[in-house]
Structures are given as C-alpha cells and as structure tokens.
C-alpha cells in the first residue's frame, strides 16, 4: 500500500472520482484505499489526485513503493 486515508476523513466523497484506478471506496466510517489498486497515480498523473482534491488533507503516505512497482500496478489495471 502506498497511500492511506486517516481518521480525519470527513467522507466528503471528493477523492473517489479523482482516482483513476477506482481504488477508493466508502468504508464503515471513512473512505478507504484498496492497496492493490493504488498506484499513487503513477502512469496517469504527475501526483496523487486524491491528495490534491482532499479538503481535509487526510490522505497520507503509508508505505513507500518504488515507481516501478506503482507503474506495474497501473498497467495491470489498465492494460
């Protein structure tokens, strides 16, 4: 996993449509990121779009993954 949504999430829904990999969904209380689908937007954008649109600033780096690993995730999802 590369990004994580913290408990500061207000469930505003802004991040969901910003994600090119459809990695973000509603959890029990806050939104969650599916680690297997999160590529930090590598392959699609220059920076994580969810972080850019989050008004609560609650999407943070969780585990560092190499750009090659992130790009491989993106390619596996989008072909």
């Amino acid at each position: 996993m590369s990004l994580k949504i913290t408990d500061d999430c207000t469930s505003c829904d802004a991040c969901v449509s910003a994600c090119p990999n459809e990695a973000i969904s509603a959890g029990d209380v806050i939104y969650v990121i599916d680690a297997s689908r999160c590529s930090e937007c590598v392959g699609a954008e220059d920076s994580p779009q969810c972080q850019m649109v989050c008004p609560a600033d609650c999407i943070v780096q969780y585990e560092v993954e190499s750009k090659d690993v992130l790009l491989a995730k993106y390619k596996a999802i989008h072909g």
Side-chain angles (χ1 to χ4, degrees):
M1 174 180 231
S2 49
L3 297 177
K4 179 179 180 179
I5 298 175
T6 69
D7 291 338
D8 294 330
C9 175
T10 61
S11 299
C12 71
D13 199 42
C15 58
V16 176
S17 62
C19 181
N21 298 341
E22 299 178 355
I24 303 173
S25 61
D28 290 336
V29 178
I30 61 173
Y31 280 81
V32 294
I33 297 175
D34 179 345
S36 68
R37 296 187 67 84
C38 179
S39 69
E40 293 184 42
C41 293
V42 170
E45 301 289 343
D46 292 332
S47 59
Q49 298 301 289
C50 59
Q51 286 181 321
M52 292 179 63
V53 301
C54 179
D57 215 17
C58 66
I59 302 173
V60 297
Q61 187 78 39
Y62 183 64
E63 288 182 8
V64 177
E65 293 178 301
S66 72
K67 188 172 182 173
D68 291 338
V69 169
L70 295 171
L71 185 57
K73 279 188 198 183
Y74 180 82
K75 287 181 177 180
I77 294 167
H78 297 282

